[in-house]
Amino acid sequence: MSKLEIVVGKNGSLKIFGEFILKDADGKIVEPPIRPDKNWISLCRCGHSKNKPFCDGTHKSTAFESEVTAK
Ligand code: FES
């Protein structure tokens, strides 16, 4: 079994590659959007998505800036 991979995008979302289960604070499963053309989903980290916790691309039209680099 391969490890789940999470990529911190430059000035954008968290891209998740691999199988996962996402739950809300009450433990209920949050179904990700169906995207048969993609093998990843994005979680919003800018706070502006209208479809939280998923990224809807709104970060591109905001001044959200965050670049994370491994040390
Ligand atoms: S990171 Fe994309 S809308 Fe927030």
Side-chain angles (χ1 to χ4, degrees):
M1 183 165 119
S2 62
K3 287 186 176 180
L4 176 72
E5 183 176 323
I6 302 173
V7 177
V8 184
K10 287 183 180 176
N11 307 318
S13 64
L14 297 172
K15 285 186 179 177
I16 301 178
F17 298 82
E19 291 188 32
F20 64 92
I21 296 173
L22 180 64
K23 295 181 178 178
D24 67 13
D26 296 325
K28 294 179 187 167
I29 293 176
V30 178
E31 295 292 342
I34 297 172
R35 302 172 5 141
D37 57 325
K38 309 272 191 213
N39 66 345
W40 50 269
I41 65 109
S42 292
L43 295 180
C44 176
R45 70 184 181 105
C46 76
H48 295 287
S49 173
K50 292 173 182 58
N51 189 30
K52 292 181 189 82
F54 305 104
C55 170
D56 66 359
T58 302
H59 63 269
K60 296 174 189 167
S61 62
T62 69
F64 180 68
E65 291 184 12
S66 175
E67 290 191 27
V68 175
T69 53
K71 295 186 169 70

